[in-house]
Amino acid sequence: MPIEVKIINRSNNPLPHYATEGAAGMDIRAFLETSIEMQPLQRMLIPTGLFVEIPDGYEAQIRPRSGLAIKHGITCLNTPGTIDSDYRGEIKIILINLSSEKAVIHDGDRIAQMVIQKVEKITWTPAEELSQTSRSEGGFGSTGKI
Ligand SMILES: O=c1ccn([C@H]2C[C@H](O)[C@@H](COP(=O)(O)OP(=O)(O)OP(=O)(O)O)O2)c(=O)[nH]1
Ligand SMILES: [Mg+2]
């Protein structure tokens, strides 16, 4: 069953949509009056003109697009960005240009993608000890050593 999500679109761009039947994400477009230049290593907060009301128990994740990353070195700095269900402000995308060349972002460019996810809430049980496991405290490349 699809989940209904209220949306206000103050941009001239079409609503985000699933490009294929199996797509996990919907591309999100920049909402800009004029094109902007991103210098190498510059980061920018890009407006989208979108305001959403995510149902309680869900979040929206803002993730980078692989094509922008491999072709232009542009990615989301805070990936995955978190859109809380109680956020009512404009969705904005924090882009960074990790290439050595400047990039130009135009109004309507697909700059990121949004994935809706379920969120589990927890309560803490303070404890003195945790259960034993074969991994124990190993991490950070601890497995597979001969
Ligand atoms: O890529 C993003 C990330 C966040 N947000 C908005 C929605 C989110 O609900 C809110 C807060 O995001 P986050 O919790 O990541 O930022 P924070 O630095 O912890 O700010 P706050 O103290 O407002 O939670 O900012 C965006 O529009 N785009
Ligand atoms: Mg926060």
Side-chain angles (χ1 to χ4, degrees):
M1 272 297 275
I3 298 151
E4 276 187 36
V5 178
K6 270 197 209 170
I7 187 164
I8 296 171
N9 182 7
R10 300 219 165 111
S11 77
N12 307 312
N13 301 316
L15 285 184
H17 66 278
Y18 298 104
T20 62
E21 215 171 296
M26 296 169 279
D27 287 346
I28 302 291
R29 295 173 185 270
F31 175 41
L32 298 169
E33 280 178 15
T34 54
S35 300
I36 49 172
E37 271 189 11
M38 292 186 77
Q39 302 304 321
L41 291 184
Q42 190 175 5
R43 58 183 188 263
M44 280 187 164
L45 194 58
I46 313 282
T48 66
L50 300 176
F51 301 70
V52 297
E53 188 172 324
I54 307 283
D56 190 31
Y58 294 85
E59 61 158 339
Q61 292 186 358
I62 302 296
R63 302 189 191 168
R65 294 186 64 220
S66 62
L68 273 186
I70 190 65
K71 288 183 211 150
H72 303 290
I74 290 180
T75 189
C76 298
L77 180 56
N78 61 326
T79 185
T82 305
I83 309 298
D84 300 288
S85 64
D86 56 356
Y87 180 67
R88 297 291 177 269
E90 181 177 8
I91 293 177
K92 294 186 179 173
I93 312 295
I94 307 171
L95 288 186
I96 185 162
N97 177 5
L98 293 180
S99 82
S100 53
E101 283 153 36
K102 76 172 186 198
V104 182
I105 310 287
H106 308 279
D107 180 49
D109 281 357
R110 291 173 297 151
I111 54 172
Q113 60 185 315
M114 176 192 286
V115 174
I116 305 294
Q117 291 268 6
K118 268 192 174 162
V119 174
E120 303 293 344
K121 296 264 171 71
I122 63 127
T123 57
W124 296 114
T125 304
E128 296 298 325
E129 280 177 19
L130 305 178
S131 66
Q132 296 293 323
T133 68
S134 59
R135 172 182 284 278
S136 189
E137 293 183 24
F140 316 100
S142 67
T143 62
K145 288 181 187 151
I146 303 163

